[in-house]
Amino acid sequence: MYRTLIALMCALYGSFAMAQATDPNLGRNLAAACAICHGTNGVNAGGLPHLAGLPREYIAQQLRDFRDGKRPATIMHQISKGYTESQIEALAAFFAAQPTR
Amino acid sequence: MSHPMNRREILKLIAAGAASTTLASCASTPEARKPLARVIVIGGGYGGATAARYLRLWGGNHIEVYLIERNTNFISCPLSNLVLGGSRQIDDLTMNYAKLRELGVIVLNDEVVSIDASKKRISLKKIADLDYDRLIVSPGIELMHEQITGYSAEAQKRVLHAWKAGPETVALREQLTSMRDGGVYVLSIPKAPYRCPPGPYERASQVAHYFKQAKPRSKVLVLDANEDIVSKKGLFLSAWNDLYKGILQYVPNQEVRELDAMTGTVKTEFDTHKGDVLNVLPPMRAGNLARDAKLITHNNRWCDVDWLSMESTAAKGIHVLGDATLAAPAMPKSASMANNHAKIAAAAILAQVLGEAPNPQPVIANTCYSYVSDSEAVHVTSVHRYDAEKKTLLTVPGSGGVSSARSALEKAYADAWARNIWSDTLG
């Protein structure tokens, strides 16, 4: 039962990831929501972490750590739970690719 | 918009960097310099300004963008309660559209007279009619003074709402500063939905903060038409109990139906209350521009939209943003949401211009901070994801929430939120 569920989840995840891979604007569109606190394209206007140009894996790991309660937060633990693993990957890839200014 | 395939092909060539000779040879002809589409945005608040900016950021010179706004300046509603509390000035919240102009947005200080959806044309007060390929309407809210007996044009000179930041905010602050110590400030809250769910409770906190500092014998009386505090309940109650005990009184189930501006009286179903300063928020609906263009579809108050594109369900080619929309479940009428709506619309319009399908699963996030004093703040946040079956945005299960407690750190984050959303919206 458990195995079947895992297999099913993998299949679903796979097809989801493939569907997303076809949309070149996925990361851009997802990241746009972060701009109200982190600045347009992750370039911060002051007072909160600057995300543009940070290493992709670092950004993804911070989001996972917020989500899993491993990194303490006031708000990011609540926001990060709203994103799937593939969306976290897309966000991280987008911000990592942005110029720092 | 009549030849999406041609435009799509052109854009694909540009994107691929191919056929450079063809492009170079026709680059000097007027036809090649012509934008692929003209988008007119009406209303330069959080929704409209963000839409104009992102259409240019994402679409570059391929999209000609107009922004029509009747005010010369942008004045932020978020943080405007701090003007009442005394820790900010209205000038701190006043910005302009210069950076949008630098980005190539054609900002017109004008007022729309009418929208002709069938001809795709708008009429303006100052200049000649303008044709559009896509129209974005971000009209904000209208206050329904007529729902409260006695809230006449004359009464509105004395009894303020100050729910649109600007001269009324400053005038209400003056009423508070000139009020006698020992006076009563009455704030009445309409039934939800209204603009900015936590806003009235933040305002009550800010006025109580001011009284505590400057007029300690004065009182804040909150009359709420709702049966309970609409947003951040536990956080506001604890702030009021810890900081404003004996100053702030909260009474639920008090829908103001009548007021007398001369005697400073408000009447609810069973009770009469008197105040030195009355601040009555009437019920709200989508702005008049939405009404006149027949975009209001729900309850004579709000505009239904397709959440994949923010396109009106009542008029093809017209997108509606912000507080004027019939909100998706558990979605607040907030600056954060208006800014996010704008990005859904901008992405969908660009996809449409290129002849592509819109993003099938938008995900947007709301973050609203409330200042409970001059030094501490609290937040509420939520993540909203498109549900293809229900055709609306739904909160993602397990995500979102409110502050564990009010704090100075969250006040610093609130200040940073403001700086970032202002620059994300206006440049």
Side-chain angles (χ1 to χ4, degrees), chain B residues 80-118:
Chain B
S80 67
N81 284 328
L82 298 183
V83 175
L84 304 178
S87 62
R88 291 265 192 167
Q89 306 295 312
I90 200 78
D91 288 350
D92 302 336
L93 315 180
T94 306
M95 283 147 272
N96 61 44
Y97 298 101
K99 287 193 174 163
L100 287 183
R101 287 192 167 98
E102 280 172 31
L103 195 60
V105 176
I106 303 159
V107 183
L108 299 178
N109 176 219
D110 206 337
E111 203 163 330
V112 172
V113 177
S114 65
I115 297 168
D116 187 334
S118 61

Short mmCIF file of all heavy atoms in Angstrom, two decimals, chain B residues 80-118:
data_model
loop_
_atom_site.label_atom_id
_atom_site.label_comp_id
_atom_site.label_asym_id
_atom_site.label_seq_id
_atom_site.Cartn_x
_atom_site.Cartn_y
_atom_site.Cartn_z
N SER B 80 -0.61 54.21 6.47
CA SER B 80 -1.25 55.52 6.70
C SER B 80 -1.86 55.61 8.11
O SER B 80 -2.03 56.72 8.62
CB SER B 80 -2.30 55.83 5.63
OG SER B 80 -3.39 54.95 5.71
N ASN B 81 -2.15 54.46 8.75
CA ASN B 81 -2.60 54.54 10.15
C ASN B 81 -1.51 55.10 11.06
O ASN B 81 -1.81 55.61 12.15
CB ASN B 81 -3.05 53.16 10.65
CG ASN B 81 -4.42 52.76 10.10
OD1 ASN B 81 -5.27 53.64 9.88
ND2 ASN B 81 -4.64 51.48 9.91
N LEU B 82 -0.25 54.99 10.63
CA LEU B 82 0.85 55.52 11.44
C LEU B 82 0.84 57.04 11.47
O LEU B 82 1.38 57.66 12.39
CB LEU B 82 2.20 55.01 10.92
CG LEU B 82 2.41 53.49 10.97
CD1 LEU B 82 3.81 53.13 10.49
CD2 LEU B 82 2.18 52.95 12.36
N VAL B 83 0.23 57.65 10.45
CA VAL B 83 0.07 59.11 10.46
C VAL B 83 -0.89 59.50 11.59
O VAL B 83 -0.68 60.49 12.29
CB VAL B 83 -0.45 59.61 9.09
CG1 VAL B 83 -0.73 61.11 9.11
CG2 VAL B 83 0.55 59.26 7.99
N LEU B 84 -1.91 58.67 11.80
CA LEU B 84 -2.85 58.94 12.89
C LEU B 84 -2.18 58.72 14.24
O LEU B 84 -2.44 59.44 15.20
CB LEU B 84 -4.08 58.03 12.77
CG LEU B 84 -4.83 58.11 11.43
CD1 LEU B 84 -5.99 57.13 11.41
CD2 LEU B 84 -5.33 59.53 11.17
N GLY B 85 -1.32 57.72 14.32
CA GLY B 85 -0.60 57.43 15.56
C GLY B 85 0.52 58.41 15.83
O GLY B 85 0.99 58.53 16.96
N GLY B 86 1.00 59.09 14.78
CA GLY B 86 2.01 60.12 14.94
C GLY B 86 3.44 59.70 14.62
O GLY B 86 4.35 60.51 14.69
N SER B 87 3.66 58.43 14.25
CA SER B 87 5.04 58.02 14.00
C SER B 87 5.48 58.15 12.54
O SER B 87 6.64 57.91 12.22
CB SER B 87 5.28 56.58 14.49
OG SER B 87 4.47 55.67 13.80
N ARG B 88 4.54 58.52 11.65
CA ARG B 88 4.90 58.81 10.25
C ARG B 88 4.15 60.07 9.81
O ARG B 88 3.09 60.37 10.34
CB ARG B 88 4.48 57.66 9.32
CG ARG B 88 5.27 56.40 9.50
CD ARG B 88 6.43 56.30 8.54
NE ARG B 88 6.99 54.94 8.55
CZ ARG B 88 7.83 54.47 7.65
NH1 ARG B 88 8.24 55.23 6.66
NH2 ARG B 88 8.29 53.24 7.73
N GLN B 89 4.72 60.72 8.80
CA GLN B 89 4.06 61.87 8.17
C GLN B 89 3.52 61.43 6.81
O GLN B 89 4.06 60.50 6.21
CB GLN B 89 5.06 63.02 7.95
CG GLN B 89 5.80 63.45 9.19
CD GLN B 89 4.86 64.04 10.23
OE1 GLN B 89 4.03 64.88 9.92
NE2 GLN B 89 4.97 63.55 11.46
N ILE B 90 2.51 62.12 6.31
CA ILE B 90 1.93 61.74 5.02
C ILE B 90 2.99 61.83 3.90
O ILE B 90 2.97 61.05 2.95
CB ILE B 90 0.66 62.57 4.68
CG1 ILE B 90 -0.19 61.87 3.62
CG2 ILE B 90 1.01 63.99 4.24
CD1 ILE B 90 -1.03 60.73 4.10
N ASP B 91 3.93 62.77 4.04
CA ASP B 91 4.99 62.89 3.02
C ASP B 91 5.83 61.61 2.91
O ASP B 91 6.35 61.30 1.84
CB ASP B 91 5.91 64.07 3.34
CG ASP B 91 5.23 65.40 3.08
OD1 ASP B 91 4.12 65.40 2.48
OD2 ASP B 91 5.78 66.44 3.49
N ASP B 92 5.96 60.89 4.04
CA ASP B 92 6.73 59.63 4.01
C ASP B 92 6.06 58.59 3.11
O ASP B 92 6.69 57.64 2.66
CB ASP B 92 6.82 59.00 5.41
CG ASP B 92 7.45 59.92 6.43
OD1 ASP B 92 8.20 60.82 6.02
OD2 ASP B 92 7.18 59.75 7.64
N LEU B 93 4.76 58.76 2.92
CA LEU B 93 3.97 57.76 2.19
C LEU B 93 3.61 58.23 0.78
O LEU B 93 2.83 57.59 0.08
CB LEU B 93 2.67 57.44 2.94
CG LEU B 93 2.79 57.23 4.45
CD1 LEU B 93 1.42 56.92 5.05
CD2 LEU B 93 3.75 56.08 4.75
N THR B 94 4.14 59.40 0.40
CA THR B 94 3.78 60.01 -0.88
C THR B 94 4.91 59.82 -1.88
O THR B 94 6.05 60.20 -1.61
CB THR B 94 3.49 61.51 -0.68
OG1 THR B 94 2.49 61.64 0.34
CG2 THR B 94 2.98 62.15 -1.97
N MET B 95 4.57 59.23 -3.02
CA MET B 95 5.57 58.93 -4.04
C MET B 95 5.05 59.38 -5.42
O MET B 95 3.89 59.78 -5.52
CB MET B 95 5.85 57.43 -4.06
CG MET B 95 6.75 56.99 -2.91
SD MET B 95 6.36 55.33 -2.32
CE MET B 95 5.11 55.68 -1.09
N ASN B 96 5.90 59.30 -6.45
CA ASN B 96 5.45 59.71 -7.77
C ASN B 96 5.71 58.61 -8.80
O ASN B 96 6.18 57.53 -8.46
CB ASN B 96 6.10 61.03 -8.19
CG ASN B 96 7.60 60.90 -8.28
OD1 ASN B 96 8.13 59.92 -8.81
ND2 ASN B 96 8.32 61.89 -7.76
N TYR B 97 5.38 58.92 -10.04
CA TYR B 97 5.45 57.92 -11.11
C TYR B 97 6.68 58.10 -12.01
O TYR B 97 6.72 57.57 -13.11
CB TYR B 97 4.16 57.98 -11.94
CG TYR B 97 2.93 57.64 -11.12
CD1 TYR B 97 2.08 58.63 -10.64
CD2 TYR B 97 2.63 56.31 -10.80
CE1 TYR B 97 0.96 58.32 -9.87
CE2 TYR B 97 1.52 55.99 -10.04
CZ TYR B 97 0.69 57.00 -9.58
OH TYR B 97 -0.41 56.68 -8.82
N ALA B 98 7.68 58.86 -11.52
CA ALA B 98 8.84 59.18 -12.37
C ALA B 98 9.57 57.93 -12.85
O ALA B 98 9.98 57.85 -14.02
CB ALA B 98 9.79 60.09 -11.60
N LYS B 99 9.72 56.95 -11.97
CA LYS B 99 10.49 55.76 -12.38
C LYS B 99 9.72 54.89 -13.36
O LYS B 99 10.32 54.20 -14.18
CB LYS B 99 10.93 54.97 -11.15
CG LYS B 99 12.05 55.70 -10.42
CD LYS B 99 12.72 54.85 -9.40
CE LYS B 99 13.92 55.60 -8.83
NZ LYS B 99 14.36 55.00 -7.56
N LEU B 100 8.39 54.92 -13.27
CA LEU B 100 7.61 54.20 -14.28
C LEU B 100 7.79 54.87 -15.64
O LEU B 100 7.90 54.21 -16.67
CB LEU B 100 6.13 54.16 -13.90
CG LEU B 100 5.73 53.22 -12.76
CD1 LEU B 100 4.22 53.25 -12.56
CD2 LEU B 100 6.20 51.80 -13.02
N ARG B 101 7.83 56.21 -15.63
CA ARG B 101 8.06 56.94 -16.88
C ARG B 101 9.43 56.59 -17.46
O ARG B 101 9.56 56.37 -18.67
CB ARG B 101 7.97 58.45 -16.64
CG ARG B 101 6.55 58.95 -16.41
CD ARG B 101 6.47 60.48 -16.47
NE ARG B 101 5.09 60.92 -16.55
CZ ARG B 101 4.38 61.34 -15.50
NH1 ARG B 101 4.92 61.40 -14.31
NH2 ARG B 101 3.12 61.70 -15.65
N GLU B 102 10.44 56.52 -16.59
CA GLU B 102 11.80 56.15 -17.05
C GLU B 102 11.80 54.77 -17.71
O GLU B 102 12.58 54.51 -18.63
CB GLU B 102 12.77 56.11 -15.87
CG GLU B 102 13.28 57.47 -15.44
CD GLU B 102 14.09 57.39 -14.15
OE1 GLU B 102 14.73 56.34 -13.91
OE2 GLU B 102 14.04 58.37 -13.38
N LEU B 103 10.91 53.91 -17.25
CA LEU B 103 10.83 52.56 -17.78
C LEU B 103 10.05 52.52 -19.10
O LEU B 103 9.94 51.48 -19.74
CB LEU B 103 10.14 51.66 -16.74
CG LEU B 103 10.22 50.15 -16.87
CD1 LEU B 103 11.65 49.65 -16.82
CD2 LEU B 103 9.41 49.49 -15.75
N GLY B 104 9.52 53.67 -19.50
CA GLY B 104 8.81 53.74 -20.78
C GLY B 104 7.30 53.68 -20.66
O GLY B 104 6.59 53.67 -21.68
N VAL B 105 6.78 53.65 -19.43
CA VAL B 105 5.33 53.69 -19.27
C VAL B 105 4.87 55.12 -19.57
O VAL B 105 5.47 56.09 -19.10
CB VAL B 105 4.92 53.31 -17.82
CG1 VAL B 105 3.41 53.46 -17.63
CG2 VAL B 105 5.37 51.90 -17.49
N ILE B 106 3.82 55.23 -20.39
CA ILE B 106 3.27 56.56 -20.69
C ILE B 106 2.25 56.88 -19.61
O ILE B 106 1.14 56.36 -19.62
CB ILE B 106 2.64 56.56 -22.10
CG1 ILE B 106 3.68 56.14 -23.15
CG2 ILE B 106 2.05 57.94 -22.42
CD1 ILE B 106 3.07 55.64 -24.44
N VAL B 107 2.67 57.68 -18.65
CA VAL B 107 1.80 57.99 -17.51
C VAL B 107 1.03 59.26 -17.82
O VAL B 107 1.63 60.30 -18.08
CB VAL B 107 2.63 58.17 -16.21
CG1 VAL B 107 1.70 58.42 -15.02
CG2 VAL B 107 3.51 56.95 -15.94
N LEU B 108 -0.28 59.16 -17.82
CA LEU B 108 -1.12 60.32 -18.11
C LEU B 108 -1.89 60.70 -16.86
O LEU B 108 -2.59 59.87 -16.27
CB LEU B 108 -2.11 60.01 -19.23
CG LEU B 108 -1.52 59.63 -20.59
CD1 LEU B 108 -2.64 59.30 -21.58
CD2 LEU B 108 -0.64 60.76 -21.14
N ASN B 109 -1.75 61.97 -16.47
CA ASN B 109 -2.52 62.48 -15.35
C ASN B 109 -3.88 62.93 -15.90
O ASN B 109 -4.07 64.07 -16.31
CB ASN B 109 -1.75 63.65 -14.71
CG ASN B 109 -2.52 64.30 -13.58
OD1 ASN B 109 -2.51 65.51 -13.42
ND2 ASN B 109 -3.20 63.50 -12.79
N ASP B 110 -4.80 61.99 -15.95
CA ASP B 110 -6.08 62.24 -16.61
C ASP B 110 -7.15 61.37 -15.96
O ASP B 110 -6.84 60.51 -15.12
CB ASP B 110 -5.95 61.92 -18.12
CG ASP B 110 -6.95 62.71 -18.97
OD1 ASP B 110 -7.99 63.14 -18.44
OD2 ASP B 110 -6.67 62.87 -20.17
N GLU B 111 -8.38 61.58 -16.39
CA GLU B 111 -9.49 60.82 -15.82
C GLU B 111 -10.29 60.18 -16.95
O GLU B 111 -10.55 60.83 -17.96
CB GLU B 111 -10.38 61.76 -15.01
CG GLU B 111 -11.20 61.05 -13.96
CD GLU B 111 -11.74 62.01 -12.92
OE1 GLU B 111 -11.09 63.05 -12.64
OE2 GLU B 111 -12.80 61.72 -12.39
N VAL B 112 -10.67 58.92 -16.75
CA VAL B 112 -11.42 58.22 -17.79
C VAL B 112 -12.89 58.60 -17.70
O VAL B 112 -13.49 58.58 -16.63
CB VAL B 112 -11.24 56.69 -17.63
CG1 VAL B 112 -12.15 55.93 -18.58
CG2 VAL B 112 -9.78 56.31 -17.88
N VAL B 113 -13.44 58.95 -18.85
CA VAL B 113 -14.87 59.32 -18.90
C VAL B 113 -15.71 58.08 -19.19
O VAL B 113 -16.73 57.85 -18.55
CB VAL B 113 -15.11 60.39 -20.00
CG1 VAL B 113 -16.59 60.71 -20.12
CG2 VAL B 113 -14.30 61.64 -19.71
N SER B 114 -15.25 57.26 -20.15
CA SER B 114 -16.01 56.05 -20.44
C SER B 114 -15.12 55.01 -21.11
O SER B 114 -14.06 55.33 -21.66
CB SER B 114 -17.20 56.37 -21.35
OG SER B 114 -16.73 56.81 -22.60
N ILE B 115 -15.59 53.76 -21.02
CA ILE B 115 -14.89 52.63 -21.65
C ILE B 115 -15.85 52.00 -22.64
O ILE B 115 -16.98 51.68 -22.28
CB ILE B 115 -14.50 51.59 -20.58
CG1 ILE B 115 -13.51 52.19 -19.57
CG2 ILE B 115 -13.93 50.33 -21.22
CD1 ILE B 115 -13.30 51.34 -18.33
N ASP B 116 -15.39 51.83 -23.88
CA ASP B 116 -16.21 51.13 -24.87
C ASP B 116 -15.53 49.79 -25.16
O ASP B 116 -14.58 49.71 -25.94
CB ASP B 116 -16.32 51.98 -26.15
CG ASP B 116 -17.30 51.37 -27.17
OD1 ASP B 116 -17.48 50.13 -27.13
OD2 ASP B 116 -17.86 52.13 -27.98
N ALA B 117 -16.04 48.73 -24.50
CA ALA B 117 -15.39 47.41 -24.61
C ALA B 117 -15.50 46.84 -26.02
O ALA B 117 -14.61 46.13 -26.46
CB ALA B 117 -16.00 46.46 -23.59
N SER B 118 -16.60 47.15 -26.74
CA SER B 118 -16.77 46.57 -28.07
C SER B 118 -15.82 47.21 -29.07
O SER B 118 -15.29 46.54 -29.96
CB SER B 118 -18.22 46.70 -28.53
OG SER B 118 -18.58 48.06 -28.59
#
